[in-house]
Amino acid sequence: MATKVAVVTGGNKGIGFAIVRGLCKRFDGVVYLTSRDINRGTNAVAELNKEGLNPKYHQLDTTDPRSIEVFRDYIKGNYGGLDVLVNNAAIAFKNNAPEPVAVQAEQTLAVNYFAVLSTCELLFPILRNGARVVNVSSSCGHLSNIPSADLRNRLKDPSLTINELSDLMRQYIEAAKQNTHASKWGNSSYVVSKVGLTALSMIQQRMLNDKDIKVNAVHPGYVDTDMTSHKGILTIDQGADAPLFLALDAPDSVKGQYVWSDRRIVNWDGPHP
Ligand code: NAP
């Protein structure tokens, strides 16, 4: 039987690092810690080695299609396919960041939405039967965070395509450039990016329904990492719990869902939990 392969993006620190740690302990196959920066990634691998864990390493910058292609060809050539993909890498500007909203919108959407989309477009063709994809979203990715009812209706429309969703994400960036975004989209590019990612996860599941592949979005909880300036209340291992549950343990019936940090399936277009 082929060796199973699990991959985590942005695995060099924070929740991604703890997801790699958890997979190393429990996944029946090889685990790839990937990072955009080779030094940060190999240092993280060395740290796990000290714990007696042995993840493999590969460079992967999710905003660079060439980097994703090199990684895809490497995995395909060496293992034939992929069994677990955890799309964890993301960025968040701090509340007091000096960058104008237009810059924040473009950069946040580039990493948190468009880079996940291109990672999936390039890696989904090598997913094997039974594969699980975990898109690390956020409580910010709940649909109720979008003020406009019209936009919410479009985002939850079960016939929404990826191209239409990507157009909506581009419309947000344009609105941010004109400074006309707030009334319809709210004030946070991070929120828009994570709502977009959650909507994307549901479309991806619909497109994969004829295959034995599960895609879910997850809110890891409020976690003590660089992203939260270490204000989060959960440890990185606690934050990794729900993503690991979806990658390894969730029943096959859990697909196309938005799952909370306590493993509960949450109604994405219902009231905010
Ligand atoms: P973090 O500590 O800031 O780590 C983010 C990781 O993403 C880093 O490894 C970073 O790499 C990587 N990354 C960023 N851009 C990348 C790119 N273009 N290519 C590859 N890797 C890239 O954040 P975290 O708190 O662990 O967050 C992990 C995930 O959980 C994110 O999706 C975040 O939105 C989500 N989340 C976090 C919280 C929380 O409370 N922490 C709550 C809800 C959701 P570098 O080290 O090179 O920058």
Side-chain angles (χ1 to χ4, degrees):
M1 221 172 75
T3 304
K4 288 196 171 186
V5 183
V7 171
V8 182
T9 68
N12 56 291
K13 68 177 184 179
I15 298 165
F17 179 78
I19 296 172
V20 172
R21 173 150 59 201
L23 287 170
C24 285
K25 288 179 181 167
R26 294 198 37 231
F27 180 67
D28 179 21
V30 297
V31 180
Y32 272 84
L33 185 157
T34 70
S35 67
R36 58 179 162 181
D37 180 273
I38 294 178
N39 277 333
R40 288 196 284 274
T42 48
N43 286 342
V45 168
E47 221 175 296
L48 290 169
N49 288 161
K50 284 189 217 149
E51 299 176 20
L53 302 172
N54 291 301
K56 306 235 180 229
Y57 177 75
H58 203 285
Q59 194 272 347
L60 180 57
D61 181 340
T62 58
T63 58
D64 176 1
R66 186 65 201 133
S67 165
I68 309 169
E69 279 169 2
V70 168
F71 179 65
R72 177 202 57 200
D73 293 346
Y74 172 83
I75 293 293
K76 195 173 178 208
N78 283 280
Y79 304 97
L82 188 56
D83 301 281
V84 169
L85 171 61
V86 183
N87 289 305
N88 163 80
I91 60 163
F93 283 85
K94 304 291 178 201
N95 286 337
N96 60 357
E99 288 85 352
V101 64
V103 172
Q104 295 195 20
E106 195 145 42
Q107 293 185 7
T108 306
L109 272 285
V111 180
N112 298 5
Y113 175 80
F114 288 105
V116 181
L117 175 58
S118 42
T119 302
C120 291
E121 281 173 346
L122 289 167
L123 294 185
F124 276 13
I126 64 164
L127 288 178
R128 275 193 275 252
N129 246 353
R132 289 174 176 224
V133 178
V134 182
N135 290 334
V136 182
S137 180
S138 167
S139 57
C140 293
H142 194 273
L143 188 61
S144 63
N145 293 316
I146 300 295
S148 156
D150 175 51
L151 276 175
R152 289 198 304 274
N153 285 334
R154 293 175 72 185
L155 287 161
K156 72 178 183 191
D157 182 343
S159 65
L160 184 72
T161 64
I162 290 181
N163 283 344
E164 288 165 346
L165 175 60
S166 295
D167 275 345
L168 286 174
M169 295 294 109
R170 280 188 280 268
Q171 282 172 29
Y172 165 71
I173 296 170
E174 275 315 303
K177 286 181 182 166
Q178 309 299 324
N179 210 9
T180 57
H181 58 289
S183 62
K184 283 177 131 190
W185 291 96
N187 272 316
S188 163
S189 296
Y190 184 78
V191 161
V192 175
S193 72
K194 293 296 187 177
V195 169
L197 177 61
T198 312
L200 176 67
S201 312
M202 291 171 187
I203 302 174
Q204 288 174 327
Q205 181 63 62
R206 287 200 290 274
M207 293 171 71
L208 290 166
N209 264 343
D210 57 338
K211 300 201 170 129
D212 179 19
I213 295 174
K214 283 125 211 132
V215 185
N216 290 289
V218 62
H219 164 51
Y222 188 40
V223 181
D224 177 350
T225 66
D226 287 347
M227 186 177 278
T228 59
S229 305
H230 298 278
K231 291 191 179 123
I233 51 173
L234 301 180
T235 66
I236 55 171
D237 293 302
Q238 289 170 324
D241 177 77
L244 286 166
F245 168 71
L246 289 171
L248 298 172
D249 306 310
D252 284 350
S253 56
V254 180
K255 49 183 186 173
Q257 300 288 355
Y258 176 57
V259 172
W260 214 246
S261 47
D262 58 4
R263 305 182 176 187
R264 236 178 340 131
I265 293 174
V266 160
N267 187 0
W268 180 58
D269 56 5
H272 200 286

